[in-house]
Amino acid sequence: MSEVLFIFTAGLGGVFVSMALLYASMRFTALILEKTNSAKAKGESR
Amino acid sequence: MDSMLSVFKTSGIFSVTPGMLIMWAIGLTLIGLAIKKEYEPLLLLPIGFGILLANLPMTDLMKPEEGLLWRFYHFGIQWEIVPPLIFLGLGALTDFGPLLARPSLIFLGAGAQAGVYFTFFTAWLMGFDLKEAASIGIIGGADGPTTIFLCSKLAPHLLGSCAVAAYSYMALVPIIQPPIMKMLTTKEERMIRMKKSRKVSPQEKLLFPIVSVIIIILIVPASAPLMAMFMLGNLFREAKVVERLTHTAQNELMNIVTIFLGLPVGATMNAENFLQPGVIFIFCLGLFAFMLSTATGLLLAKLMNLFLKKENRINPLLGAAGVSAVPMAARVVHKVGSEADKKNYLLMYAMGPNVAGVIGTVIAAGIFLTLIAD
């Protein structure tokens, strides 16, 4: 029983943790690209 | 006369068993459903024909080391070649734009995996061992190639039943999901209009497969065969410099491997394997898993709404698209949403959790492999 409960908890928890990391990576990538692009645009306007 | 009789005796006619006849009927039913009703025809047609072939006596098509279909099965599926190649094609067909536009929708793809784990637990309680329970639970992810990938590693004797259950329920998404969606949401909730998505830059789309493959494989290395090919296919698509490879992955390669996926899967379903009382439980549990995944996705969307500002609320129907049946589940979300409000266009938003569901199911399968496989 304890093994099944461990797989259940670790499995579901693992899926959510993985998705949370993907979520963070998507937000982070978008932020970096936004900053880079705006810096580039400022440089070009000068 | 004697020679005529001996030829007759060496034919397979006298070796047909009642079990084989039942399997012929099952194979023909699947072929009929594929042709007449167009239920997942690309898979159910070769699976149905594979069942028919595997249950013709004295053919030895599935005889280990010798049979033609056994070779397809052994080198295609047991060697992990075909399901990852299908994922290459899926990756090349997938647009992650809707997900990148609203990243929080990725959690709906995770929420739908709760059905997988609850069913795993239920199947174990019903007497299936851990490997069998995991193979049955993954049906809830509504992802055929992942189900085949996991079953072939954990419970090959259940491969045929689990694959047929997965593809049958995927075909029945428009029938299974709407009643659950309507039962768990109010009309007001179904009418929620999503906030307009932001524009996603091509660089974001390009970086996503690279970043996500690193993250996922670092966390769940066992998911690597499917995830690596999925993201490679997507990189082909987003790089926009390998049009020929993208086109091949989306079309010719995908079509070829689909043949070599369906036929041997069907051929694993011989009468001795399939006509067992346990198979009925597998189909019931598979349906339970699929319904539960739909429900948990919806409920998670409702839970998320409790913490979101009014203008950022999610239409809870989107949670039902967290199962991976792409793009059928997203289409059903759009249809049920438009029944409540004709001008509510949910299809593009629903594609976000839909593709997240594919990733979620692969991660769930990888975790099962890590924790259960010897």
Side-chain angles (χ1 to χ4, degrees), chain A residues 1 3-8 10-12 14-23 25-27 29-30 33 37, chain B residues 100 103-104 106-107 110-111 114 117-118 120-121 124 130 203-204 207-208 211-212 215-216 219 356 360 363 367:
Chain A
M1 184 66 161
E3 193 186 0
V4 180
L5 284 176
F6 172 72
I7 295 167
F8 179 88
L12 201 49
V15 173
F16 272 95
V17 168
S18 308
M19 293 303 211
L21 285 171
L22 280 182
Y23 169 77
S25 76
M26 282 191 274
R27 296 298 297 260
T29 311
L33 286 173
N37 289 340
Chain B
L100 291 164
S104 59
I106 200 167
F107 291 106
Y117 285 96
F118 278 114
F120 158 74
F121 189 66
W124 180 79
L130 288 179
Q203 295 107 307
E204 272 182 83
L207 285 172
F208 181 75
V211 174
S212 56
I215 292 175
I216 296 167
I219 300 170
I363 294 172
I367 294 174

Side-chain angles (χ1 to χ4, degrees), chain A residues 23-45:
Chain A
Y23 169 77
S25 76
M26 282 191 274
R27 296 298 297 260
F28 185 68
T29 311
L31 191 74
I32 296 286
L33 286 173
E34 197 186 309
K35 296 269 180 206
T36 317
N37 289 340
S38 65
K40 228 186 244 176
K42 271 184 191 170
E44 277 169 13
S45 67

Side-chain angles (χ1 to χ4, degrees), chain B residues 181-249:
Chain B
M181 293 158 89
K182 286 175 186 170
M183 195 173 71
L184 293 175
T185 52
T186 62
K187 193 177 178 191
E188 287 70 38
E189 285 174 327
R190 294 198 290 277
M191 287 171 72
I192 293 176
R193 292 204 178 174
M194 297 288 292
K195 190 178 164 185
K196 197 169 180 280
S197 293
R198 70 181 180 90
K199 201 170 179 291
V200 177
S201 69
Q203 295 107 307
E204 272 182 83
K205 287 188 177 183
L206 181 65
L207 285 172
F208 181 75
I210 301 169
V211 174
S212 56
V213 83
I214 295 171
I215 292 175
I216 296 167
I217 295 179
L218 278 178
I219 300 170
V220 192
S223 67
L226 297 183
M227 196 48 69
M229 298 308 278
F230 188 49
M231 293 305 173
L232 175 64
N234 193 250
L235 186 62
F236 283 169
R237 175 195 172 97
E238 300 303 343
K240 301 196 189 303
V241 290
V242 284
E243 292 296 332
R244 279 164 50 195
L245 301 188
T246 311
H247 186 272
T248 302

Side-chain angles (χ1 to χ4, degrees), chain B residues 15-346:
Chain B
S15 306
V16 177
T17 63
M20 286 174 178
L21 291 174
I22 296 171
M23 293 310 294
W24 292 4
I26 293 170
L28 291 171
T29 305
L30 292 183
I31 292 171
L33 286 173
I35 296 170
K36 280 269 181 192
K37 301 270 182 186
E38 292 194 25
Y39 284 168
E40 291 286 333
L42 293 177
L43 263 305
L44 288 189
L45 192 68
I47 288 177
F49 201 69
I51 296 171
L52 195 65
L53 293 178
N55 290 283
L56 290 170
M58 300 166 74
T59 58
D60 290 339
L61 284 170
M62 277 301 275
K63 189 174 181 184
E65 313 289 342
E66 289 176 24
L68 175 71
L69 297 184
W70 181 87
R71 286 184 178 137
F72 290 167
Y73 171 69
H74 181 67
F75 297 112
I77 295 172
Q78 285 187 317
W79 276 28
E80 288 180 18
I81 306 286
V82 170
L85 285 179
I86 293 271
F87 262 77
L88 179 75
L90 289 178
L93 286 164
T94 300
D95 176 13
F96 283 110
L99 182 64
L100 291 164
R102 184 136 186 204
S104 59
L105 296 178
I106 200 167
F107 291 106
L108 300 180
Q113 307 312 315
V116 170
Y117 285 96
F118 278 114
T119 309
F120 158 74
F121 189 66
T122 311
W124 180 79
L125 285 178
M126 288 176 71
F128 288 97
D129 67 31
L130 288 179
K131 291 179 177 182
E132 292 172 338
S135 304
I136 296 166
I138 205 73
I139 297 172
D143 189 325
T146 308
T147 304
I148 291 168
F149 177 77
L150 189 69
C151 274
S152 66
K153 287 184 156 263
L154 294 183
H157 57 289
L158 301 184
L159 178 63
S161 356
C162 288
V164 170
Y167 282 109
S168 305
Y169 298 139
M170 280 163 69
L172 295 174
V173 163
I175 296 166
I176 298 171
Q177 284 198 317
I180 304 166
M181 293 158 89
K182 286 175 186 170
M183 195 173 71
L184 293 175
T185 52
T186 62
K187 193 177 178 191
E188 287 70 38
E189 285 174 327
R190 294 198 290 277
M191 287 171 72
I192 293 176
R193 292 204 178 174
M194 297 288 292
K195 190 178 164 185
K196 197 169 180 280
S197 293
R198 70 181 180 90
K199 201 170 179 291
V200 177
S201 69
Q203 295 107 307
E204 272 182 83
K205 287 188 177 183
L206 181 65
L207 285 172
F208 181 75
I210 301 169
V211 174
S212 56
V213 83
I214 295 171
I215 292 175
I216 296 167
I217 295 179
L218 278 178
I219 300 170
V220 192
S223 67
L226 297 183
M227 196 48 69
M229 298 308 278
F230 188 49
M231 293 305 173
L232 175 64
N234 193 250
L235 186 62
F236 283 169
R237 175 195 172 97
E238 300 303 343
K240 301 196 189 303
V241 290
V242 284
E243 292 296 332
R244 279 164 50 195
L245 301 188
T246 311
H247 186 272
T248 302
Q250 288 174 336
N251 298 285
E252 292 85 355
L253 184 62
M254 184 89 153
N255 292 339
I256 291 167
V257 288
T258 299
I259 296 169
F260 292 105
L261 184 72
L263 197 60
V265 163
T268 61
M269 293 169 64
N270 58 43
E272 296 84 56
N273 265 345
F274 192 77
L275 297 178
Q276 303 284 338
V279 170
I280 295 176
F281 289 118
I282 292 170
F283 275 82
C284 293
L285 282 166
L287 181 62
F288 174 69
F290 193 62
M291 291 166 74
L292 210 57
S293 293
T294 304
T296 51
L298 280 165
L299 293 173
L300 183 68
K302 289 175 74 146
L303 181 70
M304 284 168 75
N305 276 344
L306 297 178
F307 302 97
L308 291 171
K309 287 179 189 163
K310 198 179 175 188
E311 66 270 20
N312 287 334
R313 279 189 310 165
I314 300 167
N315 187 314
L317 293 176
L318 261 59
V323 298
S324 346
V326 182
M328 186 75 90
R331 282 190 195 141
V332 170
V333 166
H334 175 70
K335 190 172 173 286
V336 176
S338 60
E339 280 171 15
D341 173 3
K342 275 184 187 170
K343 290 185 179 170
N344 200 0
Y345 199 79
L346 291 174

